[in-house]
Amino acid sequence: MIHTARVAVATMASTVIAAAGLVFGTAGSAHATGHGAGYYGVWASGVNVRAGGGEQCYLYPSAANCPDIQTTVSNPAKVWVYCQQEGAQTVGGNPYWVWVLTPSGHRGYMASYYIDNATNWIDGVEDC
């Protein structure tokens, strides 16, 4: 009887701990970042949103391949992220670029490094 009660208490305790991990985000590395296409904050100031350069810009975004600066965005602005693409240039250790719509209505690529997200790749955002 005592053994059965101990097993029941131990089982209940582990269930409570696991549930707390899910609620408070401590359940391990399975925690996802991002939320798919949508609005994301920009954490820096004067971030260039680029286009131009034809096919090279769309296939391999970078400052060199997308020479036309459409506009700049600064914190606390939020941009609408449509998709993401590995670029020809890494910014701050992040190889990805995101196709965005700015608050001023401009569209173009910006380095994903400047998006307020916990990881380089934004979970739930499709490839461009």
Side-chain angles (χ1 to χ4, degrees):
M1 170 91 173
I2 292 174
H3 175 67
T4 305
R6 284 184 183 163
V7 170
V9 169
T11 302
M12 201 164 31
S14 66
T15 302
V16 168
I17 290 169
L22 291 174
V23 170
F24 296 110
T26 59
S29 62
H31 177 70
T33 61
H35 54 265
Y39 284 104
Y40 288 85
V42 175
W43 61 263
S45 296
V47 179
N48 292 328
V49 176
R50 301 175 163 278
E55 186 176 8
Q56 289 301 308
C57 176
Y58 296 103
L59 295 176
Y60 310 104
S62 67
N65 290 344
C66 307
D68 300 337
I69 297 172
Q70 304 298 303
T71 191
T72 61
V73 291
S74 297
N75 180 292
K78 291 188 176 200
V79 294
W80 180 272
V81 174
Y82 288 101
C83 60
Q84 58 194 338
Q85 173 81 14
E86 188 166 357
Q89 175 185 4
T90 297
V91 177
N94 185 335
Y96 299 105
W97 289 67
V98 290
W99 184 259
V100 301
L101 172 65
T102 68
S104 62
H106 293 89
R107 287 184 173 85
Y109 273 115
M110 66 177 275
S112 182
Y113 174 73
Y114 300 108
I115 295 292
D116 191 13
N117 192 60
T119 61
N120 291 343
W121 180 258
I122 304 172
D123 288 345
V125 175
E126 296 184 16
D127 292 341
C128 292

